[in-house]
Structures are given as C-alpha cells and as structure tokens.
Amino acid sequence: MTDKKFLPQLDENLPTDVFFHYFFLEAKTETLSHSHPWGQLHLIKQGRLEMEVDKQKMFCPANYAIWTPAHLLHRAFNHNDVEYCAINIEFELSQKLPTSACMFPLTPLLRAIVDDLEGKEFQ
C-alpha cells in the first residue's frame, strides 16, 4: 500500500546533454508510470528501489544502479526512504548504451564522479 504518489515533472528536452538530479523519496512512495525521450541511470545511494521497466521487475539496493533506455515506460516503489541520483542522458548519447533495462553495481570511479558533481559522498 502506498502513502504517496510521485510523478516527476518532465520537460520535452533536457537542459544539457547529460543532466543530474537528486531525489529523496519518503517511505511508501510510488513513482507513477512514465517515460521520456532520454535514457536515465538511477544510482541508489540509500535504501532499496523496486522498479519496473518495460514489464521487467528489479530490486535495486544501495550502491547499485538501474539503466532505463529512452522511451521505455517505467515506475518505481520504495518501502523505506530512498536517496538517489538520476543521470539523464540525451537520446543520441544514450544510443551507445544498452537497449534494454539492466542493473549493475556502482564502481568506485562512478561513485567518486557522482559525489564530486553532487558535492556529497555516498555512505
């Protein structure tokens, strides 16, 4: 049962080719189904995110990431608080990345880059 519904406000275009944004979602928040014309890398910093991308379910713990290709319908749910960074990658650049959703561990190099861009450290 969800307590909160969340739908990201989406513009037609990204402000830059690669755009970072940070989210903190309180426990029991459902991110409603949506898609966008760019790829998105969800880096989970704290908690666990349950995500469904193109009917594929993923359970992503802290220090892992989920890649969501452009135009794929996706939604998420979290039982507990979740802190994460979304890296949005414009369509042409994202075509060089996997064509289906996937999950992978964050490397120390990727964590350091994101920490530097955000100005805060992963725990």
Side-chain angles (χ1 to χ4, degrees), residues 54-101:
D54 198 29
K55 298 182 181 174
Q56 178 183 358
K57 291 186 179 184
M58 299 178 184
F59 299 93
C60 191
N63 291 311
Y64 276 75
I66 294 176
W67 167 247
T68 305
H71 303 291
L72 286 184
L73 197 60
H74 56 284
R75 64 190 192 103
F77 176 77
N78 53 297
H79 291 280
N80 299 306
D81 292 348
V82 169
E83 179 182 359
Y84 80 102
C85 173
I87 303 174
N88 302 290
I89 303 170
E90 69 92 32
F91 183 76
E92 285 188 30
L93 290 175
S94 73
Q95 295 305 291
K96 298 175 183 176
L97 298 169
T99 57
S100 60

Side-chain angles (χ1 to χ4, degrees), residues 2 4-7 28-32 75-78:
T2 60
K4 298 158 209 69
K5 305 278 188 206
F6 173 72
L7 183 61
K28 297 184 181 178
T29 298
E30 178 183 2
T31 303
L32 301 175
R75 64 190 192 103
F77 176 77
N78 53 297

Side-chain angles (χ1 to χ4, degrees), residues 10-115:
L10 305 173
D11 292 326
E12 186 67 27
N13 298 305
L14 292 174
T16 61
D17 289 348
V18 178
F19 181 73
F20 288 71
H21 62 260
Y22 165 86
F23 286 100
F24 179 84
L25 298 173
E26 293 180 19
K28 297 184 181 178
T29 298
E30 178 183 2
T31 303
L32 301 175
S33 292
H34 65 283
S35 67
H36 26 76
W38 54 82
Q40 192 170 50
L41 186 62
H42 308 269
L43 294 94
I44 310 306
K45 297 180 77 169
Q46 172 206 335
R48 183 179 82 169
L49 188 68
E50 297 179 23
M51 187 168 231
E52 184 177 309
V53 182
D54 198 29
K55 298 182 181 174
Q56 178 183 358
K57 291 186 179 184
M58 299 178 184
F59 299 93
C60 191
N63 291 311
Y64 276 75
I66 294 176
W67 167 247
T68 305
H71 303 291
L72 286 184
L73 197 60
H74 56 284
R75 64 190 192 103
F77 176 77
N78 53 297
H79 291 280
N80 299 306
D81 292 348
V82 169
E83 179 182 359
Y84 80 102
C85 173
I87 303 174
N88 302 290
I89 303 170
E90 69 92 32
F91 183 76
E92 285 188 30
L93 290 175
S94 73
Q95 295 305 291
K96 298 175 183 176
L97 298 169
T99 57
S100 60
C102 57
M103 189 173 80
F104 54 90
L106 297 179
T107 65
L109 176 60
L110 184 53
R111 283 196 303 265
I113 291 168
V114 172
D115 288 347

